[in-house]
Amino acid sequence: MAKKPVQFHLNGEEKAAFVDDGQNLLELLRRGVGDLTPKYGCGQGTCGACTVMIDGKPHLSCITLAETVGGRKVETVGGLGHAGGLHPLQEAFMRNFAAQCGYCTPGMLMAAKALLDRNPRPTREEVVEAISGNICRCTGYEAIINSVLEAAGGQGAMAGRG
Amino acid sequence: MPVQVETHARLDDAVRACAQSANARFFGGGTLLMRAVNEGDQSFDRIIRCSDPVLREIRMDGNAISIGAGVTMLEVMENRDTAFLAPVARIVGGPAVRSAATIGGNLYADLPYGEMTTALLALGATIRFAGDAQGVSIDDFLRDRASRRNRVVQSISIPRVGDAANFRFVKVTRVKPKGAALMSIAAYLNRSSGSGGIRVAYGNMGPMPVRALAVERALEGASLDERGIARALEVATEGLEPPTDAFASSWYRREVAPVHLKRLLLGSGRA
Ligand SMILES: Cc1cc2nc3c(=O)[nH]c(=O)nc-3n(C[C@H](O)[C@H](O)[C@H](O)COP(=O)(O)OP(=O)(O)OC[C@H]3O[C@@H](n4cnc5c(N)ncnc54)[C@H](O)[C@@H]3O)c2cc1C
Ligand code: FES
Ligand code: FES
């Protein structure tokens, strides 16, 4: 099968790799360029564990054709913390125990980052909507929603706590 | 059988490539096609992509709006001219699906999907295949959809909806805020245009989006109040054969259709 070259930016670094026809972006990231932060959950677009950002928008890497990212900017959790520190979203997730097994966390963080980059002061409903394509088996979502609101500095952060 | 992916810069080259192979699939945003690839679907062996910007255009065309088949749900939501369709685009999957899912791909989505197509059916859309200036009505398109697999939809034309209140849409799900539709209902209540101005369509009440013709007839000349819509509710599922699937039985769909139709027509927004 023919291999195709693809060049793209991953978390600000230029990457070049060869992809197979029909290969998805999750495989390219994990196997092709060694970024293991996006997770494989379903391969069907339904769990959100593989969520990354492409040119600032959230995308499901398992159902994204790898070659379509040529020349584009891909962001994963691997690039979220900077200069040794954690991103405010990661800090808030830690403070609120928003990760238990942690499998959904990379996808949740990227879905949340896509929201906050566009809308720095979201309402609770907007946060719920932003993570509505991401499944968490452990937390019951409240801690995640509160973390996103807290990272955004929103006053709604405490509203849903029982 | 490995799949082969071809990318064309020009639409006519992509159309030619699709026409040459019965086992080719045109690539929209890939949210369904890539699922199929991941599953090892053997029903196609070629994917034809096209980067021609014509597929991404949204433009006014007299009293109509022409939407390129490659326009995504997110773009429908963000464009001022298609703002009245935002409530439909917004309920297609989650945000990461909507960044990729196209309006052209939605036309081919099998159950339980296809809410945008339900809306386009209610709006009486015209589907334009590449290389075919005329276009076909969405009713005809859906009737022959399976046999048109190797053609490429270039754009979809819908009327400009002057008063947004004339277009109503609801997606009924068991899971909030997101889930696959148990049914969807779209209504275009363009009563000022006289006879034929009312179109109502259901999603997930048949193998593909269907018109509720008996409801349309019952609403002709009727007022949109409890009394005026009573007959339409009586015939809410006339002529339909709702499916039984994991979301609901055919019986349940029949039972709840008038309830959701009533809320939609009275604009009570509780559906
Ligand atoms: C997690 C998840 C949730 C979803 N939720 C919903 C939902 O709530 N509602 C809903 O309606 N859908 C839903 N979908 C299905 C899908 O995302 C949408 O129906 C979408 O609009 C399909 O468009 P696409 O561009 O991704 O199609 P693709 O996967 O690119 O293509 C789908 C089919 O359409 C054909 N096609 C695409 N474009 C053209 C064209 N221009 N001309 C001819 N043929 C074409 C392809 O060949 C293929 O057969 C969901 C999908 C996922 C993965
Ligand atoms: S692995 Fe991509 S959505 Fe589940
Ligand atoms: S923390 Fe386990 S799936 Fe979310």
Side-chain angles (χ1 to χ4, degrees):
Chain A
M1 197 170 23
K3 295 265 187 199
K4 290 177 182 160
V6 55
Q7 267 181 292
F8 63 107
H9 296 266
L10 176 62
N11 301 324
E13 271 179 44
E14 253 187 63
K15 296 281 176 193
F18 285 99
V19 295
D20 291 322
D21 268 6
Q23 188 177 334
N24 65 54
L25 176 61
L26 182 61
E27 285 170 0
L28 167 62
L29 292 171
R30 291 182 63 87
R31 290 206 218 131
V33 300
D35 182 347
L36 299 177
T37 60
K39 302 296 176 210
Y40 177 90
C42 63
Q44 291 290 294
T46 42
C47 75
C50 66
T51 307
V52 301
M53 285 165 66
I54 303 174
D55 291 342
K57 309 243 161 56
H59 281 264
L60 298 161
S61 59
C62 73
I63 53 168
T64 301
L65 185 63
E67 62 189 80
T68 61
V69 300
R72 301 171 76 186
K73 292 191 173 68
V74 179
E75 292 173 65
T76 67
V77 167
L80 209 51
H82 38 83
L86 293 178
H87 187 277
L89 273 167
Q90 292 170 308
E91 295 275 8
F93 267 56
M94 256 179 26
R95 267 195 306 277
N96 291 286
F97 301 103
Q100 289 181 24
C101 81
Y103 205 79
C104 69
T105 312
M108 287 288 183
L109 286 167
M110 295 319 287
K113 179 165 191 290
L115 169 71
L116 297 191
D117 283 359
R118 190 173 37 85
N119 176 3
R121 291 288 165 122
T123 62
R124 191 174 186 82
E125 287 67 39
E126 286 166 340
V127 173
V128 170
E129 173 56 39
I131 61 164
S132 63
N134 296 68
I135 293 173
C136 177
R137 177 70 181 76
C138 306
T139 64
Y141 300 99
E142 282 303 310
I144 296 173
I145 297 164
N146 288 332
S147 301
V148 180
L149 287 167
E150 191 177 294
Q155 296 306 304
M158 306 301 286
R161 290 183 178 170
Chain B
M1 184 169 46
V3 71
Q4 198 190 321
V5 181
E6 281 171 36
T7 303
H8 297 274
R10 288 168 44 104
L11 184 56
D12 41 3
D13 292 333
V15 170
R16 219 168 293 123
C18 277
Q20 277 163 8
S21 162
N23 295 335
R25 290 282 182 277
F26 189 76
F27 189 92
T31 59
L32 291 172
L33 269 187
M34 285 304 289
R35 264 183 166 187
V37 170
N38 291 350
E39 278 175 358
D41 188 330
Q42 301 290 304
S43 63
F44 59 94
D45 57 12
R46 274 171 93 189
I47 288 180
I48 313 292
R49 285 179 64 219
C50 180
S51 53
D52 198 323
V54 74
L55 289 169
R56 308 293 294 264
E57 273 176 12
I58 298 181
R59 60 184 170 78
M60 297 313 231
D61 193 0
N63 271 336
I65 306 170
S66 168
I67 308 174
V71 168
T72 65
M73 298 299 155
L74 181 63
E75 288 161 348
V76 168
M77 285 163 65
E78 289 179 341
N79 191 294
R80 229 182 17 185
D81 295 330
T82 49
F84 73 96
L85 276 178
V88 187
R90 193 178 295 124
I91 53 73
V92 173
V97 168
R98 296 195 290 270
S99 316
T102 66
I103 192 162
N106 203 273
L107 290 172
Y108 291 86
D110 287 324
L111 288 181
Y113 300 135
E115 282 91 35
M116 183 56 82
T117 306
T118 304
L120 297 173
L121 180 59
L123 287 164
T126 300
I127 310 299
R128 223 190 114 215
F129 290 104
D132 173 2
Q134 280 283 290
V136 295
S137 74
I138 187 164
D139 307 65
D140 288 346
F141 170 84
L142 287 172
R143 204 168 300 126
D144 301 333
R145 186 171 71 171
S147 62
R148 289 179 164 147
R149 273 277 176 210
N150 60 350
R151 298 198 64 185
V152 178
V153 174
Q154 179 174 336
S155 61
I156 296 124
S157 179
I158 51 172
R160 282 167 89 154
V161 172
D163 180 355
N166 286 346
F167 175 70
R168 313 228 177 137
F169 174 81
V170 67
K171 174 181 182 176
V172 183
T173 60
R174 288 194 188 269
V175 182
K176 302 284 180 210
K178 280 291 136 64
L182 193 147
M183 76 178 60
S184 54
I185 316 177
Y188 184 37
L189 308 167
N190 187 17
R191 294 185 301 161
S192 57
S193 76
S195 164
I198 291 182
R199 288 176 65 106
V200 179
Y202 286 113
N204 293 32
M205 290 291 277
M208 60 180 73
V210 281
R211 297 239 328 255
L213 294 169
V215 171
E216 292 176 5
R217 279 192 299 272
L219 289 175
E220 279 303 335
S223 52
L224 288 184
D225 52 30
E226 294 254 359
R227 281 186 60 186
I229 67 167
R231 175 75 192 135
L233 301 186
E234 272 170 35
V235 297
T237 58
E238 194 177 289
L240 303 182
E241 287 185 33
T244 290
D245 59 20
F247 304 103
S249 65
S250 179
W251 172 85
Y252 181 79
R253 286 188 158 96
R254 277 185 197 285
E255 289 296 307
V256 299
V259 177
H260 293 294
L261 182 62
K262 179 178 179 182
R263 291 175 185 168
L264 186 78
L265 294 174
L266 295 182
S268 55
R270 289 181 47 230

